Structure formats: C-alpha cells, structure tokens
Amino acid sequence: MEVSKQASWPDDFLCPISLELMTDPVILPSGHTFERRSIQRWLDGGHRTCPVTNLLLPPDPTLIPNHALRRLIAAVSVSPAAVSADKGDCQGQGVAPVSSSSVLGMLRLAKSGPAGRREVLESGAVAVLLQHAAAGDEAAARALLYLSLDGDDARVGLVADGAVDALCAAVSGGGAAAAHAATALTSLATVGVNKCTIGAHPSAVPALSRLLWRGGARERREAATTLYELCKLPENRRRTVRAGAAPALVELAANGSARAVEVLGLLAKNREGRHDLSKIPDIVAVLCTVAGSGNARAIDQALVVLNWICSESNELAMEAIKLGAFQLCEALVNDDNCKIAKNAVELARTLEKA
C-alpha cells in the first residue's frame, strides 16, 4: 500500500521507529505497535528492549498482528495522487491533508457497527474527523454522529477530544453538514455533563439559534431537537432565550413542528423565557392553533405555554379568550390524554381570572 509521506496521519497510524504509515502493524509484548519490518530489524540488531518504553522484552518476543489497526489504516489510506489532489483544499481550510475518500473510509467503519466504531475511536483518527467536520465536511460530521452512538463513555470522550468546537463550526457553516452536526450534538447532549459543557460553549446555542433562522427545513428541525435536549438543563434555557431563538421557534411551531412547541414549553419554565415569549407577535394565535389541531405532544405543551404567559399578562389572556381558548379548553377537559385534560383545566382557570 503506497501512501504519500507528506500526508498528515494520526500518530497511532505511524510506526514509532520509522515514523512512516504502517502497512503491517504488529504488537510487542510491551503493548506498543510497530511496523513489522522496522521492529524486526530492531530485534535482529540485537536489541532486547522496547523502543518506546526501553523495558526489557522476553527472549524471542512474539509479534502479534494488530488486525484492527491494519483494517482502519487500509480503510482510510489512499494513493499519493488522491492525497495530493486533496492537499491544497484541506490546507486552505486549515485541515490536515487527508483526502475525502479517507474520511469516507472512516464513515464506513463508523456505520458498520460497534466494532468498527471502536476501531475508529481507539485509532487516534477522531482528530482528523474533527478537523474535516469543522471545515464543513458532511461525511466527517456523519461519522462523528455514528461514533457518538457507541455509548456514554464515547460521548464524554468525544467532547473531551474537542468535538463541541468542531460541531459548532459545522453548524455555523450551514448546509447538510450543519444538520448532521446538530444531530451529533443532540446525541452528545444526552449525557448530563455534556449538556452543561455544550451549553456553556460560547458558540453552541448561538449557532443553533442562527440555524433556526437561516437553515432549511431539515436543519431547522435538527436545531430545534438539539435545543430541546440542551434545555432540559435550566441554565441552557436562559442561554437559548438570550440567543434570540424564541421567535424562530414560534415560527417553526406555526409551521407544524411539535418539537419547537416542546422547546417553548421548556423556555416558559424560566421567568426570563416567559417575558421574552410574551413579546412575540402572534404567539397566542400560534399556540391556540397548535392546541386545536396539533398532535398530542404539541397540544400538551401549547396549553402549558399559554397558561404560563396568560397567567402573567391579562392582555394576552384576553387575546386568548377572543381567539376561542375557553371553548378549546372545554373541548379538551375530557380528552383521553390525562395531561392534556389537566392542562386544559388549568388554562381555563387562568383565563377565568382575566
């Protein structure tokens, strides 16, 4: 397998002796991996220690093929011509000159299942994916999404490796990569500690808010889902409000997004959020429409948000009454969904006080 010596590869792909990409990696008893020819020359030269640790090796040490690393290197390695063709574009974006076909190789491994994902995670190749994802590479963003499915330890590890920086850059860049990056952030945020880390990142919530305003249908949907996961942490609700996401969420809710209504339900739990929501034109009309024609999740949360904002504003409560909110509550109090029925009763009581 011929490979360009100028290509920038993860350190774990390179032989510690020759510093060249390995084609036949083997493991010494010390646990370190080397290119077979290089370590064999070392041993044939009379050395009896590990070149990395300098620890004594047993007599006639067994060289164990590192099949996992060899498969990964084979998946991401390309010809010198391919690397050269990609090098200019990558360097122009500050990305290591690893070609798009290499990233696709890692994506295939990540998609193949748990074993393939572990190969990528343990190979040191994640850094390459992060660089390409940050530059807007859709395949790299997808690969990171698949890697995040390997469990909570993988999710925490990816965040520790700098995934939030790369994914936020991809979200800011827009396009197909932005949608996959937002989905990856959602996956990472399912771990409690990551909710805090992602939310506190200076670019995360603002980038998602901008995607709500500027993205296509899919990008907006994925951004709303990410914010829903992040806003389960109270502090992230304030960040979302301050990033200006609420009006975009109301617009998305008007277009039939139940997820957007659920995010509004979380924002309404925060006083600052309720204050911001109450200033959005037509919010009462949008919520009344959703409560009258949405799915169960959307109806439930629309009633919750209406109750919150109407309890703090007689003006909004009177608007809701004029739009038929009382009649809507009467129709919903006997709903088979207990939560919807309960929230309809509570909203009716709030409106009676107006």
Side-chain angles (χ1 to χ4, degrees):
M1 178 174 55
E2 271 190 74
V3 189
S4 170
K5 293 183 179 180
Q6 296 179 354
S8 182
W9 303 99
D11 289 344
D12 288 345
F13 284 21
L14 307 179
C15 174
I17 296 175
S18 67
L19 301 181
E20 294 180 350
L21 188 70
M22 291 183 281
T23 60
D24 187 11
V26 293
I27 306 171
L28 270 186
S30 64
H32 290 274
T33 298
F34 303 84
E35 172 64 29
R36 182 184 294 275
R37 288 174 297 178
S38 297
I39 193 61
Q40 193 62 61
R41 281 198 298 268
W42 172 269
L43 297 174
D44 291 345
H47 299 94
R48 290 295 174 261
T49 57
C50 170
V52 174
T53 65
N54 207 34
L55 295 177
L56 191 65
L57 296 171
D60 300 318
T62 301
L63 303 180
I64 303 171
N66 191 333
H67 295 299
L69 182 58
R70 181 172 183 170
R71 283 196 300 272
L72 182 59
I73 292 173
V76 303
S77 296
V78 292
S79 69
V83 173
S84 176
D86 188 67
K87 185 176 179 181
D89 290 341
C90 290
Q91 286 183 333
Q93 301 176 67
V95 180
V98 177
S99 78
S100 57
S101 60
S102 302
V103 173
L104 288 172
M106 286 184 270
L107 172 59
R108 285 192 294 271
L109 274 176
K111 287 177 62 177
S112 67
R117 291 195 288 269
R118 283 193 293 273
E119 284 185 28
V120 177
L121 287 167
E122 295 170 3
S123 70
V126 170
V128 173
L129 291 175
L130 294 178
Q131 289 177 314
H132 280 258
D137 188 321
E138 180 185 354
R142 289 177 62 199
L144 290 170
L145 169 59
Y146 281 108
L147 293 180
S148 75
L149 304 179
D150 207 45
D152 287 354
D153 287 345
R155 295 183 179 104
V156 173
L158 285 168
V159 169
D161 287 339
V164 180
D165 284 334
L167 294 172
C168 287
V171 169
S172 296
H180 292 297
T183 308
L185 285 172
T186 301
S187 178
L188 296 178
T190 58
V191 181
V193 66
N194 286 351
K195 283 183 176 65
C196 183
T197 303
I198 296 169
H201 191 284
S203 298
V205 175
L208 291 165
S209 179
R210 289 192 296 273
L211 195 61
L212 280 176
W213 283 108
R214 304 172 187 171
R218 182 184 179 188
E219 288 77 33
R220 299 177 76 193
R221 182 175 66 248
E222 297 301 339
T225 301
T226 308
L227 288 173
Y228 174 73
E229 192 62 43
L230 290 174
C231 285
K232 291 177 182 178
L233 184 71
E235 180 58 31
N236 287 336
R237 297 167 195 166
R238 288 187 283 273
R239 292 178 175 127
T240 300
V241 169
R242 292 168 188 172
L249 288 165
V250 172
E251 181 181 311
L252 199 58
N255 292 328
S257 170
R259 182 64 80 195
V261 183
E262 288 181 301
V263 182
L264 293 173
L266 292 173
L267 297 184
K269 293 182 178 181
N270 173 270
R271 180 176 294 276
E272 186 177 343
R274 293 193 294 275
H275 180 266
D276 197 68
L277 291 175
S278 67
K279 294 183 175 181
I280 299 174
D282 298 327
I283 185 172
V284 174
V286 169
L287 292 173
C288 285
T289 299
V290 172
S293 60
N295 63 30
R297 287 186 301 136
I299 293 172
D300 174 49
Q301 290 305 302
L303 292 171
V304 168
V305 179
L306 276 171
N307 189 37
W308 274 113
I309 62 177
C310 289
S311 66
E312 297 187 359
S313 169
N314 281 338
E315 181 182 349
L316 294 180
M318 293 303 298
E319 183 183 349
I321 292 171
K322 290 178 182 177
L323 290 170
F326 255 135
Q327 292 83 352
L328 182 61
C329 290
E330 289 175 352
L332 293 174
V333 291
N334 295 317
D335 195 274
D336 292 337
N337 186 310
C338 294
K339 290 180 66 178
I340 290 177
K342 174 177 175 291
N343 289 328
V345 170
E346 291 181 355
L347 175 58
R349 288 173 178 168
T350 296
L351 295 177
E352 286 174 351
K353 300 174 185 177

